[in-house]
Amino acid sequence: MTTSNPQIGLDLNRAAPPDQAIVVEAKDLRKSYKNFEAVKGISFQVFQQECFGLLGPNGAGKSTTIRMLNCVSPISGGSLTVLGQSVTENIRLIKSQIGVVPQDNNLDTDLTVLQNLQVYARYFNIDKKEATRRADEVLELFQLTDKRNNKTDEISGGMKRRLVIARSLINQPRLIILDEPTTGLDPAARQVVWQQLRLLRDRGVTILLTTHYMEEATQLCDRLVIINEGRIMAEGKPRDLVRRLVGYEVIEMRLPEAERQELLPLIANRPILVEEAGDMLYLFGQQTHAFHNLTLPEGNYRLQRHASLEDVFLRLTGRGLAES
Ligand code: ADP
């Protein structure tokens, strides 16, 4: 892609690498805190203009990985390049070309929306006139123009989040890195953030994000890795991962022990995988008609639904994303 988008000040011609250029590359990346290895040798590539996700439960090592990408935490082993530069050598250059959205909003509540952007622009040596021009562009893009002169403690949580994402664009980055972009937002505010991120991606920005929301990963990510306890468990497009590792439909149920024994012969010759997690039993139908004409024991609870990334995680780890 070599499109330029003056509307949001993103000079994409400046980037100009060919399609599918590698924007981030981690090879056997490791991070240790004293004796504890939080990231245990992960490898992945992020390509230009895709939205790439690190999906995993709390404690998986996502933020640790993000901090290494943002050049604020040194790597302990392996290699990591961002926009073709090593994070151990070219920290300044990388920082000047990426946009960072931390987990916490870290806005200055004494300042207005506009002033927050102007102050942030100073870190990149952008003069005030240009900073104001860019600020107005990103405020327009994120539908915050009418809040321009409000103090940041006067705007909603969803608006604060959009402002922090808008702020990350002030240096016209080719890559934005977001740590848990919608944690703490209500479903409606979350949808708006997703729309804005898709818009940015469609305008040529590469996006790398972490999330523990299966829904967020499904809605946003072109490709993702599932991380657990510092290791990559699976990689691919969300839909492909679901099809490959789970299938099409899932029946989740709670069955008394006696009825569990009845179940296995019923499904023996069908393309169905069974997973137990706590007191729940999951049947993964690996083909479209796996459950056709199947009569199951009544049980205490039963729900049939489409397979999702949550099920992928369950199959890989034996537990759900939320309960970790
Ligand atoms: P996630 O972002 O996926 O929730 P983190 O990267 O924050 O996970 O943490 C991964 C693991 O590393 C956790 O076990 C966490 O307790 C540990 N950890 C994170 N930061 C530090 C630190 N500064 N010192 C020691 N351990 C840490």
Side-chain angles (χ1 to χ4, degrees):
M1 281 296 288
T2 54
T3 42
S4 171
N5 194 333
Q7 200 192 343
I8 53 168
L10 292 169
D11 178 5
L12 301 172
N13 288 323
R14 188 181 65 162
D19 276 346
Q20 295 297 292
I22 296 170
V23 175
V24 173
E25 183 160 41
K27 284 188 190 159
D28 195 31
L29 178 64
R30 292 168 189 274
K31 178 73 191 183
S32 298
Y33 299 109
K34 294 190 179 140
N35 297 330
F36 175 68
E37 198 174 32
V39 174
K40 300 182 176 77
I42 62 172
S43 302
F44 62 87
Q45 292 178 326
V46 180
F47 300 110
Q48 190 187 359
Q49 218 197 338
E50 73 175 347
C51 180
F52 185 87
L54 307 177
L55 173 68
N58 288 332
K62 305 184 298 297
S63 295
T64 300
T65 304
I66 289 279
R67 284 198 292 274
M68 292 190 279
L69 283 159
N70 291 344
C71 308
V72 295
S73 174
I75 69 175
S76 307
S79 68
L80 181 60
T81 60
V82 177
L83 297 163
Q85 309 291 329
S86 163
V87 295
T88 55
E89 287 160 20
N90 292 316
I91 294 177
R92 271 171 173 262
L93 190 59
I94 293 172
K95 282 189 168 180
S96 70
Q97 294 189 6
I98 61 173
V100 173
V101 179
Q103 217 172 90
D104 300 322
N105 284 335
N106 70 349
L107 292 162
D108 191 330
T109 50
D110 290 333
L111 300 181
T112 65
V113 165
L114 176 66
Q115 287 165 341
N116 264 280
L117 296 175
Q118 289 169 328
V119 166
Y120 197 76
R122 275 194 229 145
Y123 298 127
F124 300 99
N125 295 320
I126 300 165
D127 70 51
K128 191 165 178 187
K129 190 165 167 232
E130 175 65 7
T132 307
R133 190 188 69 75
R134 291 188 191 182
D136 282 330
E137 277 177 0
V138 293
L139 289 177
E140 179 78 31
L141 180 73
F142 282 81
Q143 293 160 23
L144 290 167
T145 303
D146 59 343
K147 302 292 177 193
R148 185 179 189 265
N149 299 315
N150 285 69
K151 290 268 177 68
T152 53
D153 55 5
E154 294 166 358
I155 64 175
S156 71
M159 287 177 185
K160 284 188 186 121
R161 206 63 192 138
R162 272 150 52 204
L163 177 57
V164 174
I165 299 174
R167 190 184 64 180
S168 77
L169 297 173
I170 215 81
N171 58 324
Q172 302 181 334
R174 292 160 49 188
L175 165 71
I176 58 171
I177 299 172
L178 306 100
D179 198 1
E180 304 273 352
T182 66
T183 295
L185 297 188
D186 64 52
R190 184 171 292 159
Q191 288 284 348
V192 176
V193 170
W194 290 346
Q195 280 167 25
Q196 309 288 6
L197 290 176
R198 277 194 291 259
L199 189 71
L200 285 180
R201 194 262 323 269
D202 293 346
R203 290 181 177 198
V205 181
T206 306
I207 296 175
L208 192 159
L209 61 88
T210 73
T211 184
H212 61 270
Y213 293 129
M214 174 273 292
E215 171 74 5
E216 180 156 275
T218 310
Q219 289 268 347
L220 280 182
C221 297
D222 301 304
R223 279 189 318 122
L224 55 84
V225 288
I226 295 179
I227 304 192
N228 190 41
E229 294 177 359
R231 291 199 171 84
I232 290 177
M233 313 289 292
E235 172 179 354
K237 297 178 180 177
R239 197 184 149 93
D240 292 350
L241 282 171
V242 174
R243 292 284 179 266
R244 183 156 49 87
L245 293 169
V246 180
Y248 290 81
E249 283 199 296
V250 180
I251 294 178
E252 52 181 61
M253 55 200 309
R254 263 198 308 274
L255 282 184
E257 193 53 41
E259 288 184 50
R260 284 194 185 203
Q261 304 305 325
E262 290 171 30
L263 180 71
L264 292 178
L266 293 172
I267 59 172
N269 295 318
R270 289 176 182 257
I272 295 175
L273 285 169
V274 185
E275 190 81 45
E276 278 184 77
D279 64 345
M280 294 292 287
L281 210 58
Y282 294 85
L283 308 185
F284 298 132
Q286 298 195 291
Q287 290 169 17
T288 43
H289 294 102
F291 301 133
H292 187 62
N293 282 340
L294 175 64
T295 308
L296 291 167
E298 246 336 277
N300 302 327
Y301 160 84
R302 186 161 78 208
L303 174 73
Q304 184 163 343
R305 55 173 176 74
H306 292 296
S308 73
L309 279 176
E310 187 83 35
D311 302 306
V312 173
F313 189 78
L314 184 75
R315 269 222 64 203
L316 292 171
T317 67
R319 60 182 205 273
L321 273 165
E323 58 189 271
S324 309

